[in-house]
Amino acid sequence: MATQNANFYTTDENELAPRGQASGFATPSPYLISQPATGRGTGDLSIALIGPDSERRSVVARELVSCAGSDIQEYPSYPSGLDALPRLLEEDHDVVLIDLDSDPQFALGLVESICTSGTSTVMVYSASTNADLLLRSMRAGAREFLTLPFPDGALGEALVRAAGRRPVKAARKTGKLLVFMGAKGGVGVTSVACNFAVALAQEAGKKTILIDLDLPLGDAALNLGIIPEYSTVNALQESERLDASFLSKLLVRHSSGVWVLAAPGKFPHYQPTPEALDKLLTVARAEFDNVVVDAGSRLNLPETSLFRDASTIYLVTQAGIPELRNSNRLINQFFTAGGPKLEVVLNRYESRTLGVAEEHITKALTRPAQWKVPNDHALMRKMQINATPLVLGDSSVAKLIKQMARSVNGEAETQTKKKFSLFG
């Protein structure tokens, strides 16, 4: 249904069958805008402005300049016929903004043809508030109906929505997704994930982000000694408008070089949807070489790209009976029928005072643990007090986690039994 707010309308319906393509434009006059976007979340939208009436088109162009730092191209006429429409579609504009008033019937046919033949968000503008014209525009597929003069902020808000609808374009790269989850609370997932992310940023020299999805009480920011203004919840709640530009505003860069999207400082009354999680990870992987996720003890992994697209899932556990029991259940539930690569991380490991034989640990896990992080309680306490990552030092814990990070790029093999005695 359409929703009305003063002179501003948003439309969702698209009920008409296609009328077919058509066309031929008069020579377009390029209108390139180089200044950065001032509208939050508009990103780098490419916009086509089609308006035979030069006065109305100039008004709209000025408004676009004031609210979007985008590539805006003006077309001073409708296509000469719909057979020339492919030329416009080849430009692959994110938004096509069309004047209705010069020829409403032809303009509506143009709206419908673009909507059925491309992925652009089509908006229309008119000096009329005629309800029938609004309904016909909605049925033709227009997503926004804007009336002149535009109310304050109306066009900017419409562009933000268009940026959110825009499909994520083929990325220049797809970063590795490295997910840390715990067999139960308190096993040290966040400590390992934070140090691993810092090690990746330091060792590999590649752009690395740490996303704290241990909602609602994640404390990656506390471990790293940073005070974020925004959080993971801001990104997830605004997933429709989330793009690289918007994400960058939510991040804090740690002195080690790792970028952090922290959990909220206050208890959020919010449950993320799989679709919101997928959008966040897609945008992050398009911008970063390594995307490290602290997933806490999430049990809905198969529903999201945390599971489907992960390069590696690190199951962090300890050698206690409850932790091994939970690890067994998680492995049998999620990792026996294919899926992403699983690596088990035994945290706070002490070989000589274990109390559980190593063969029993392997049996419980149904596989050997790839990584055994030495137990150093005093060192961990010091890290928590000083908020300084362990991997910036030269302890046995730091060496092990650096080795984990190097293995991501094939620079080191996992621990072997021969090497294990170094950390016993």
Side-chain angles (χ1 to χ4, degrees):
M1 297 294 294
T3 58
Q4 180 175 350
N5 180 10
N7 293 340
F8 174 61
Y9 304 86
T10 300
T11 62
D12 293 318
E13 297 181 18
N14 183 0
E15 300 174 2
L16 297 185
R19 295 180 187 168
Q21 298 184 3
S23 199
F25 283 101
T27 303
S29 58
Y31 201 106
L32 300 180
I33 311 303
S34 58
Q35 67 264 33
T38 57
R40 185 184 183 203
T42 58
D44 54 350
L45 289 174
S46 169
I47 302 173
L49 173 59
I50 304 174
D53 185 283
S54 60
E55 183 176 347
R56 285 196 298 268
R57 191 178 70 252
S58 296
V59 169
V60 177
R62 286 195 296 271
E63 186 79 10
L64 286 170
V65 171
S66 70
C67 68
S70 305
D71 175 357
I72 303 168
Q73 192 162 21
E74 291 184 60
Y75 291 88
S77 70
Y78 293 133
S80 58
L82 291 182
D83 58 335
L85 184 59
R87 176 178 169 185
L88 177 65
L89 296 175
E90 286 172 3
E91 296 288 337
D92 194 26
H93 295 289
D94 298 306
V95 175
V96 179
L97 190 55
I98 300 173
D99 175 10
L100 280 182
D101 295 347
S102 296
D103 186 342
Q105 190 65 29
F106 186 90
L108 289 173
L110 180 60
V111 169
E112 189 170 353
S113 295
I114 295 172
C115 290
T116 57
S117 305
T119 60
S120 303
T121 291
V122 179
M123 306 180 187
V124 296
Y125 63 93
S126 171
S128 170
T129 58
N130 182 277
D132 180 65
L133 187 60
L134 166 63
L135 182 61
R136 291 169 66 196
S137 300
M138 176 177 64
R139 288 177 172 169
R143 297 301 296 263
E144 310 280 351
F145 187 105
L146 299 158
T147 58
L148 294 169
F150 297 149
D152 288 344
L155 182 57
E157 291 170 7
L159 293 175
V160 167
R161 283 189 289 274
R165 296 185 197 106
R166 171 175 59 174
V168 177
K169 295 182 179 179
R172 299 185 306 274
K173 61 189 177 187
T174 301
K176 292 180 180 178
L177 179 58
L178 307 157
V179 180
F180 286 78
M181 65 176 294
K184 65 187 294 290
V187 295
V189 175
T190 298
S191 295
V192 176
C194 286
N195 280 280
F196 178 85
V198 169
L200 271 179
Q202 295 266 304
E203 295 273 350
K206 291 187 176 181
K207 196 174 179 185
T208 299
I209 182 174
L210 171 64
I211 300 176
D212 194 342
L213 281 177
D214 187 13
L215 303 177
L217 299 174
D219 54 7
L222 186 64
N223 271 247
L224 294 172
I226 60 178
I227 303 175
E229 184 177 357
Y230 302 106
S231 75
T232 310
V233 170
N234 294 114
L236 295 170
Q237 286 181 325
E238 302 290 344
S239 61
E240 288 191 358
R241 69 174 68 179
L242 188 64
D243 59 11
S245 176
F246 189 8
L247 178 62
S248 69
K249 295 177 173 64
L250 307 179
L251 304 180
V252 177
R253 191 177 189 187
H254 186 257
S255 58
S256 65
V258 68
W259 294 87
V260 181
L261 181 60
K266 296 181 179 179
F267 196 100
H269 298 284
Y270 174 75
Q271 182 63 39
T273 64
E275 293 77 18
L277 284 171
D278 289 353
K279 179 66 175 295
L280 170 58
L281 296 175
T282 298
V283 173
R285 293 179 71 200
E287 295 301 312
F288 290 86
D289 300 292
N290 299 305
V291 178
V292 180
V293 176
D294 178 356
S297 300
R298 303 189 68 89
L299 298 180
N300 65 337
L301 281 179
E303 300 174 16
T304 72
S305 54
L306 281 172
F307 187 86
R308 295 190 305 270
D309 298 335
S311 301
T312 305
I313 293 181
Y314 297 90
L315 175 61
V316 182
T317 188
Q318 294 183 24
I321 300 301
E323 291 86 355
L324 293 175
R325 175 177 177 269
N326 281 9
S327 298
N328 178 278
R329 296 161 73 187
L330 288 168
I331 291 170
N332 287 328
Q333 178 68 30
F334 296 134
F335 299 100
T336 56
K341 179 183 178 183
L342 173 69
E343 295 190 4
V344 178
V345 181
L346 271 178
N347 195 26
R348 301 167 190 159
Y349 187 77
E350 296 180 283
S351 62
R352 295 182 181 86
T353 58
L354 200 57
V356 180
E358 189 170 347
E359 60 266 26
H360 293 155
I361 295 175
T362 301
K363 183 177 180 180
L365 296 173
T366 71
R367 65 196 67 200
Q370 282 84 357
W371 307 103
K372 302 180 178 77
V373 182
N375 186 26
D376 193 330
H377 180 72
L379 192 65
M380 293 301 298
R381 287 288 296 165
K382 184 177 180 180
M383 183 197 79
Q384 292 169 352
I385 293 170
N386 297 333
T388 302
L390 296 178
V391 293
L392 298 180
D394 195 36
S395 65
S396 59
V397 175
K399 290 176 181 176
L400 185 282
I401 296 178
K402 289 176 184 177
Q403 187 182 359
M404 288 178 61
R406 286 193 296 270
S407 74
V408 169
N409 298 309
E411 297 176 17
E413 297 181 356
T414 56
Q415 278 180 300
T416 64
K417 289 185 178 181
K418 195 170 184 179
K419 290 182 180 179
F420 164 71
S421 61
L422 294 174
F423 309 107

